[in-house]
Amino acid sequence: MYRSAALSILVVVILSAAAYAQPARQPNPTDISGEWRLESDEDPGALGQSGQPPLGDYLGIPFNAAGRMRAETSAESIWETPEYECRPHTAPHQWRGLGGVRILKEQNPLTREVKAYHIQFMRSMDWPVYMDGRPHPPGYAPHLWNGFSTGEWSGNTLKITTTHLKDGYIRRGGPQTSDLYTQTDYLTRHGDILTIVTVTDDPVYLDEPFVQSTTYVADLNGTTVTEVCNGSSGENGGTDRHHVPHFLPGSNTAALTEWLKKEPWVPVEPTRGGVKTIYPEYKATLTGAGKPDSLTVPSSRTAVSPDKNRADQSPQDGEVHILPVQDNIYMLVADGTNVTASAGPQGVLVVNTGSAKMTEKLQAAVQQLASSLTAGKTNKCNGVDCPGTWGWASPFMNTVISSPDPPKPLRYIINTSVLPDNIGGNEKLAASGFYPRAAGLGSATGVGRTATVIAHENVLNRMSAPAGKQAPTPEKAWPTDTYFGEFYKLPEYFNGEAVIVYHEPAANTDGDSIVFFRHSEVISAGNIFSTVAYPVIDIEKGGSIQGVIDGLNHILDLAVAEYRGQGGTWVIPSHGRLSDTADVASYRNMLTMIRDRVQDSIKKGMTLEQVKASRPTVDFDGRYGSDTGSWTTSMFIEAVYNTLKEKK
Amino acid sequence: MRRIVLLAIASALLVATAAYAHHSYGANYDVTKELKLEGKLVQFVFRNPHAFVQMEAPDSDGKIQRWSIEWSGTTALGAAGITHESLRVGDEIVVVARPSRVAGEYRGLMVTLKRPVDGFTWGTREGEKVD
């Protein structure tokens, strides 16, 4: 009996040892999928339904001067303008919005590895968090409301790293973010409790990352509904569809501290935010022991470089990067300058030709696109009934046994302005193109032996000179077809769609155009729009701040978001990342705010130097400004001031 | 640890303000002021999270403007017996609203709404408040 029991125990021990001897399996991460109910948060007023913090409450936000200025001049109703009213909550606030959250797992059906988590809120897009190790996109890729997220497990905590975010708000009621911030979320499950710690790192508006925590509870009977956006026309009232709500600096000061009348025990200074006010050392200054200015706090600085982020959006690396946009359209980033290309069965059309030094590489990229249109494809059909059969049993036989058709030619060049980045490659690219027009091949005159170059006639006026005078550019670089009205339509479809060139008067110059590809739903915005710099306003060539704003408003009138203020019509800026309506609205809003500030200063009789000293762009300089280079913040302010002064 | 301490201090300050801040519309509207508008309803947007009444009425200079008045959500309005058919385009209405904080913005937060032709009112009874 004892022997038998001893043997049994031995067998069990051996079997157990054998099991342990197998290769160790990765422990399964905690299952965070399911429905979760928002339990608590730390925002005053945001707990419960439809609450908002009071205007001017920046407690706990490590604002810098730019962030504070932006918060104090931003009206909450900016988020209810037509371009924004259907947006989701922006990332720093999303976890605190109403309606709970649903977390889904996307699994490989064979290995059952989690490829991605999908996080959904009542008012959100689907937010995928990729777990498969894929890299984040390049800097010139679009920014989204949810950004682009990757995740990794660290013990019991899922760390989500998000880049490519649109500008938004940290907290409702004023505190804003730039679009250069990154967000890191840490999700930890303890039983039925899910804790989310959110770190918002905005180098433009914050002196150090802003940390929030939010708690959810498993909700077995819950379901995260979708809030359908029934956008109404004109939530902000009035009939001006381009209305940009904002406050002039100093005009809303009393309102910012209105809430303190009911909470007089709260000192004013920490309600203005600032990194020093959120550390324990600050407490001593409230009783008069020391002054805030002399405080030293162990601030953890931002890990995000705004300069690098801007550089990544517009890489000046001497290369051409090709980004497919939508249907026929591609964005070619040529040493930091964007060229738009339409490539299809009728050939290639480019909007602008980049700087002269990039011409050869741009030509190579155009050739690459053109070749891709005629490259062979894998046989997907066998037999005489296959479409396109002309005698072979399969049309793909031609591809297999012979070389493909020659690349389609470059047929059109459209110049959106006379600025060097727009026309630098005209001469060589036009010469490489071909479009039979005017007398067929035009063998006698050379007409039709080049691509057609289209621009507003003021572009040609500035590139050419009357007979006998020296022209600033070679004749072979000049536009061959100009227009003078409000718009110019290519006389026939190109690559299966209408292409319309609109004149934007007195914008960067007097000859600016934007180009609308009507079926692909892409607008090439030219110099009117940039995501990395203030617009270059060349007053000598007829430019003005109002013309740029009008041009941006025109883009917003033409463009339509696909869903929740995102995607849909894509807009290619002269420099910077691929954008959509919300990004154009953000740029338009910034310029409108600066225009109104400078205009107000002019009304008060301030000189140019006084206006510059008042720093009317301080909340946007970290995003778009520059103290060096060919277009500085000082030059921009001067151009705004002078065009408004002239108007007056 | 330092971060936890500072969060705790910040939380203490925040919690103290929560009572006042709860359900505040102070960011959008000047809740200390009222604006009276008399005019014609041009659109009634009965939807969540908030319904909107749009009306044409004169501004302080007597010029007719298109005003957008933010109202409660459909659940709260429904509890007060209001449906999407309660108001019709062309109705002559009198609205008292909190004005927008943005100068020149024709927007308000509903306080009371009256339709003199049939005595329809909202905002005068207990609980009829946008929150």
Side-chain angles (χ1 to χ4, degrees), chain A residues 262-601:
Chain A
K262 294 191 175 180
E263 306 288 348
W265 64 275
V266 179
V268 174
E269 188 179 43
T271 69
R272 306 292 79 223
V275 67
K276 290 182 179 179
T277 68
I278 63 174
Y279 278 84
E281 289 86 342
Y282 179 76
K283 190 176 178 185
T285 69
L286 296 176
T287 55
K291 293 186 176 178
D293 290 345
S294 60
L295 270 184
T296 302
V297 294
S299 173
S300 52
R301 296 293 174 190
T302 175
V304 182
S305 163
D307 292 338
K308 181 180 184 306
N309 194 307
R310 285 161 70 180
D312 288 347
Q313 289 192 39
S314 183
Q316 296 183 13
D317 55 2
E319 299 297 330
V320 177
H321 306 272
I322 301 177
L323 181 68
V325 177
Q326 195 154 259
D327 285 348
N328 299 321
I329 310 301
Y330 300 80
M331 183 171 103
L332 280 52
V333 187
D335 195 38
T337 299
N338 293 335
V339 170
T340 303
S342 165
Q346 288 177 280
V348 178
L349 174 157
V350 293
V351 180
N352 295 325
T353 54
S355 61
K357 68 177 184 180
M358 289 301 297
T359 302
E360 288 184 7
K361 288 191 174 177
L362 189 58
Q363 271 184 304
V366 168
Q367 183 78 6
Q368 182 185 334
L369 279 179
S371 299
S372 70
L373 301 171
T374 55
K377 295 179 177 61
T378 308
N379 187 7
K380 294 188 187 308
C381 182
N382 291 296
V384 294
D385 294 327
C386 292
T389 300
W390 286 93
W392 292 96
S394 164
F396 292 98
M397 282 294 191
N398 282 321
T399 305
V400 174
I401 68 167
S402 66
S403 61
D405 293 345
K408 299 289 184 181
L410 172 66
R411 294 189 185 275
Y412 287 108
I413 295 171
I414 301 174
N415 290 142
T416 59
S417 90
V418 72
L419 296 177
D421 278 359
N422 299 150
I423 63 169
N426 269 23
E427 184 176 355
K428 288 183 180 175
L429 276 169
S432 74
F434 171 71
Y435 190 50
R437 59 197 170 89
L441 297 180
S443 55
T445 61
V447 172
R449 289 292 183 189
T450 68
T452 298
V453 182
I454 299 167
H456 188 270
E457 68 177 8
N458 286 342
V459 174
L460 177 59
N461 292 342
R462 295 191 182 283
M463 291 177 72
S464 62
K469 293 192 175 180
Q470 181 67 40
T473 60
E475 185 174 350
K476 289 182 178 177
W478 296 354
T480 58
D481 292 45
T482 61
Y483 74 101
F484 58 90
E486 293 178 14
F487 59 85
Y488 171 83
K489 295 186 282 191
L490 259 64
E492 56 199 14
Y493 271 25
F494 186 75
N495 289 335
E497 68 177 321
V499 181
I500 309 171
V501 186
Y502 290 98
H503 182 218
E504 304 300 343
N508 305 90
T509 66
D510 59 7
D512 288 281
S513 299
I514 63 171
V515 183
F516 184 27
F517 297 90
R518 203 165 70 175
H519 181 76
S520 295
E521 279 291 336
V522 176
I523 295 172
S524 184
N527 291 77
I528 287 173
F529 179 44
S530 163
T531 68
V532 295
Y534 291 123
V536 176
I537 299 171
D538 191 334
I539 297 178
E540 288 185 1
K541 290 188 173 70
S544 72
I545 180 66
Q546 189 57 50
V548 175
I549 292 172
D550 290 344
L552 293 165
N553 282 328
H554 186 204
I555 291 172
L556 293 173
D557 287 346
L558 292 171
V560 182
E562 181 184 357
Y563 180 63
R564 288 213 178 284
Q566 180 172 292
T569 309
W570 291 105
V571 182
I572 299 177
S574 62
H575 300 83
R577 68 172 194 261
L578 181 62
S579 299
D580 59 17
T581 53
D583 301 310
V584 176
S586 175
Y587 197 68
R588 183 276 311 267
N589 295 346
M590 175 270 294
L591 292 179
T592 303
M593 291 169 78
I594 292 172
R595 178 203 64 189
D596 291 352
R597 293 171 186 177
V598 175
Q599 185 75 70
D600 184 59
S601 298

Side-chain angles (χ1 to χ4, degrees), chain A residues 611-626:
Chain A
V611 171
K612 285 183 179 179
S614 72
R615 303 191 66 194
T617 59
V618 65
D619 42 345
F620 299 107
D621 287 345
R623 178 65 187 81
Y624 299 104
S626 176

Side-chain angles (χ1 to χ4, degrees), chain B residues 11 14 32 54 121-122:
Chain B
S11 298
L14 299 178
T32 65
Q54 298 201 345
T121 63
W122 183 91

Side-chain angles (χ1 to χ4, degrees), chain A residues 26-358:
Chain A
Q26 286 279 38
N28 287 327
T30 309
D31 189 0
I32 57 170
S33 63
E35 303 278 345
W36 299 88
R37 185 182 71 246
L38 180 62
E39 181 67 7
S40 67
D41 60 48
E42 296 167 350
D43 279 356
L47 181 64
Q49 288 199 334
S50 64
Q52 291 182 7
L55 189 67
D57 174 4
Y58 312 148
L59 282 167
I61 300 177
F63 267 149
N64 58 23
R68 191 174 297 109
M69 169 82 152
R70 182 69 196 281
E72 292 180 354
T73 56
S74 291
E76 179 72 357
S77 53
I78 191 85
W79 294 106
E80 288 160 42
T81 50
E83 294 79 19
Y84 288 155
E85 66 176 335
C86 286
R87 81 203 179 282
H89 282 310
T90 60
H93 183 75
Q94 184 67 275
W95 286 107
R96 289 156 180 255
L98 300 175
V101 64
R102 174 185 299 125
I103 301 177
L104 303 172
K105 286 186 291 191
E106 179 185 346
Q107 290 178 292
N108 182 312
L110 288 179
T111 67
R112 301 194 178 172
E113 287 175 319
V114 176
K115 179 183 174 185
Y117 289 99
H118 292 264
I119 305 177
Q120 301 171 349
F121 301 89
M122 182 175 75
R123 188 174 188 177
S124 73
M125 324 285 283
D126 175 67
W127 173 18
V129 178
Y130 297 105
M131 303 295 293
D132 53 6
R134 69 183 67 189
H136 284 237
Y140 47 83
H143 283 210
L144 309 175
W145 292 115
N146 290 332
F148 182 91
S149 299
T150 53
E152 57 181 329
W153 283 97
S154 175
N156 193 37
T157 297
L158 175 64
K159 176 185 177 186
I160 302 174
T161 303
T162 305
T163 59
H164 293 74
L165 287 152
K166 291 184 184 296
D167 50 353
Y169 39 89
I170 293 174
R171 184 185 287 173
R172 304 192 73 176
Q176 310 287 301
T177 71
S178 75
D179 60 349
L180 299 190
Y181 76 103
T182 61
Q183 185 161 302
T184 311
D185 294 290
Y186 298 89
L187 277 60
T188 308
R189 178 173 188 163
H190 298 285
D192 286 345
I193 304 293
L194 183 66
T195 302
I196 297 102
V197 176
T198 300
V199 181
T200 303
D201 194 352
D202 185 350
V204 178
Y205 290 148
L206 302 178
D207 267 340
E208 71 169 37
F210 178 55
V211 183
Q212 303 176 95
S213 64
T214 313
T215 304
Y216 280 77
V217 175
D219 190 356
L220 294 177
N221 298 315
T223 181
T224 302
V225 299
T226 297
E227 182 189 82
V228 177
C229 177
N230 302 111
S232 67
S233 58
E235 280 194 10
N236 287 333
T239 53
D240 178 6
R241 66 182 182 276
H242 302 136
H243 169 60
V244 177
H246 67 100
F247 302 109
L248 292 171
S251 68
N252 202 35
T253 309
L256 296 173
T257 54
E258 207 172 75
W259 65 284
L260 293 174
K261 291 175 184 173
K262 294 191 175 180
E263 306 288 348
W265 64 275
V266 179
V268 174
E269 188 179 43
T271 69
R272 306 292 79 223
V275 67
K276 290 182 179 179
T277 68
I278 63 174
Y279 278 84
E281 289 86 342
Y282 179 76
K283 190 176 178 185
T285 69
L286 296 176
T287 55
K291 293 186 176 178
D293 290 345
S294 60
L295 270 184
T296 302
V297 294
S299 173
S300 52
R301 296 293 174 190
T302 175
V304 182
S305 163
D307 292 338
K308 181 180 184 306
N309 194 307
R310 285 161 70 180
D312 288 347
Q313 289 192 39
S314 183
Q316 296 183 13
D317 55 2
E319 299 297 330
V320 177
H321 306 272
I322 301 177
L323 181 68
V325 177
Q326 195 154 259
D327 285 348
N328 299 321
I329 310 301
Y330 300 80
M331 183 171 103
L332 280 52
V333 187
D335 195 38
T337 299
N338 293 335
V339 170
T340 303
S342 165
Q346 288 177 280
V348 178
L349 174 157
V350 293
V351 180
N352 295 325
T353 54
S355 61
K357 68 177 184 180
M358 289 301 297

